[in-house]
Amino acid sequence: MKNKVVPTILFYLMVLVIALIVLFPFLWMLTSSFKTQVDIISWPPKLFFEPTLQNYRKVFEEQDFLKYFLNSTIVGAAAVGLSLLLGLPAAYSISRYAQRRLAVFILLARLMPGISFLMPWYIVFSRLGLMDSYVALILSHMLIALPIVVWIMATYFSTIPRELEESAMVDGATRPIAFLKIILPLSGPGIITATTLSFIFSWNNFMFSQVLSMERTKTLPIAVYNFLSYAEVDWGGVMAAAVAIMAPAIVLTMIFQKYVVKGLTMGAVKG
């Protein structure tokens, strides 16, 4: 019994240290969002202070934050929806027909630095008159969401026995019907995982929105710039805006946490 106590204590201490390291930036940001500018920049840092909601008032009353929230929601939902529409059949095809080259090509599109796509996107959308449009942002964000959907679902489809769809095809169903009525209903955790992760990546994307959007389609990560000026940085406003941006992603992850874990682990068993 004594031999187990020391390893257990060391284990929990290690977990505590890792948790503090991971959570420290978020806790610092959260507490700073309730501080005044003087308290934020004071040194040494103030652990005890009088909380204020002034920073959040700036975000929601002085800035058109709800408009930016709506823009991010439209772009993220549309990009993920179209990525699922295209990515699910592609992932099924890769899984069932072992299309390795297609899988590697899609992976390369995800691994390439996003900045390498900016100039082609900018030229194409400028020529087509699509700058500062939802179409430009949705298509560019699909570059993020589509590979995630394909790679998660290709691995997940591989865990579903082929016999299920083959028995349906013996009974007269075509392969598309077997895919829609047999495979997809069994792939709920994988689809939720792919949807959640791709939406979060789209929601937090900064680079594409910075170049392709302007005032009409500005998204939440770009809206943080409203608190930066040449002479001063409104750290309280930046922190409050950052908390407001992170909140939907955190809530979404907490709601679907068990499905995300199940989807990732089931996809990893056979892979």
Side-chain angles (χ1 to χ4, degrees):
M1 188 68 178
K2 292 181 179 179
N3 294 334
K4 295 182 178 180
V5 173
V6 174
T8 302
I9 294 175
L10 292 176
F11 171 78
Y12 283 108
L13 284 175
M14 183 177 65
V15 171
L16 179 61
V17 170
I18 295 174
L20 288 175
I21 294 174
V22 173
L23 293 177
F24 177 76
F26 176 76
L27 294 176
W28 183 279
M29 177 182 65
L30 181 63
T31 56
S32 297
S33 68
F34 293 100
K35 291 182 179 181
T36 63
Q37 184 80 345
V38 175
D39 290 338
I40 292 174
I41 63 176
S42 64
W43 187 262
K46 286 189 176 182
L47 298 178
F48 302 98
F49 57 92
E50 184 177 350
T52 177
L53 294 176
Q54 185 61 34
N55 298 319
Y56 288 95
R57 293 193 186 97
K58 291 179 183 178
V59 170
F60 290 100
E61 294 179 5
E62 299 178 14
Q63 304 292 333
D64 202 356
F65 201 77
L66 293 180
K67 173 188 174 183
Y68 308 140
F69 182 91
L70 180 61
N71 288 340
S72 289
T73 303
I74 292 174
V75 172
V80 172
L82 291 174
S83 296
L84 289 172
L85 185 64
L86 298 175
L88 291 176
Y92 177 75
S93 178
I94 291 172
S95 171
R96 290 299 185 254
Y97 298 105
Q99 296 174 318
R100 305 297 183 187
R101 293 181 180 178
L102 177 60
V104 171
F105 176 78
I106 294 174
L107 179 62
L108 288 176
R110 182 68 183 93
L111 294 178
M112 289 181 64
I115 195 171
S116 62
F117 294 96
L118 280 179
M119 186 57 68
W121 278 133
Y122 181 81
I123 294 173
V124 170
F125 292 136
S126 296
R127 296 288 178 85
L128 295 177
L130 293 176
M131 291 295 294
D132 195 25
S133 68
Y134 290 118
V135 173
L137 288 179
I138 291 170
L139 291 177
S140 63
H141 282 223
M142 284 180 65
L143 189 66
I144 304 169
L146 186 57
I148 296 175
V149 171
V150 170
W151 270 87
I152 290 177
M153 294 310 302
T155 307
Y156 193 90
F157 287 146
S158 298
T159 66
I160 301 177
R162 294 173 181 265
E163 291 78 9
L164 294 176
E165 60 200 274
E166 289 174 354
S167 62
M169 294 171 67
V170 169
D171 293 336
T174 61
R175 186 170 290 276
I177 295 299
F179 172 68
L180 292 174
K181 292 189 175 182
I182 304 298
I183 302 301
L184 286 186
L186 296 174
S187 306
I191 294 174
I192 293 175
T193 301
T195 301
T196 303
L197 294 180
S198 56
F199 182 81
I200 290 174
F201 277 106
S202 173
W203 182 269
N204 293 326
N205 182 264
F206 174 84
M207 187 165 46
F208 290 151
S209 300
Q210 170 68 10
V211 175
L212 301 177
S213 69
M214 300 177 192
E215 189 58 36
R216 190 172 73 89
T217 58
K218 184 183 294 185
T219 57
L220 284 174
I222 309 302
V224 177
Y225 264 125
N226 293 344
F227 299 97
L228 308 180
S229 65
Y230 178 78
E232 183 184 14
V233 177
D234 185 357
W235 290 112
V238 170
M239 298 299 178
V243 171
I245 292 171
M246 290 181 60
I250 293 175
V251 171
L252 188 67
T253 304
M254 292 178 64
I255 293 174
F256 296 114
Q257 178 183 7
K258 63 177 182 179
Y259 299 104
V260 171
V261 173
K262 183 179 179 181
L264 291 175
T265 53
M266 287 188 68
V269 170
K270 191 169 182 177

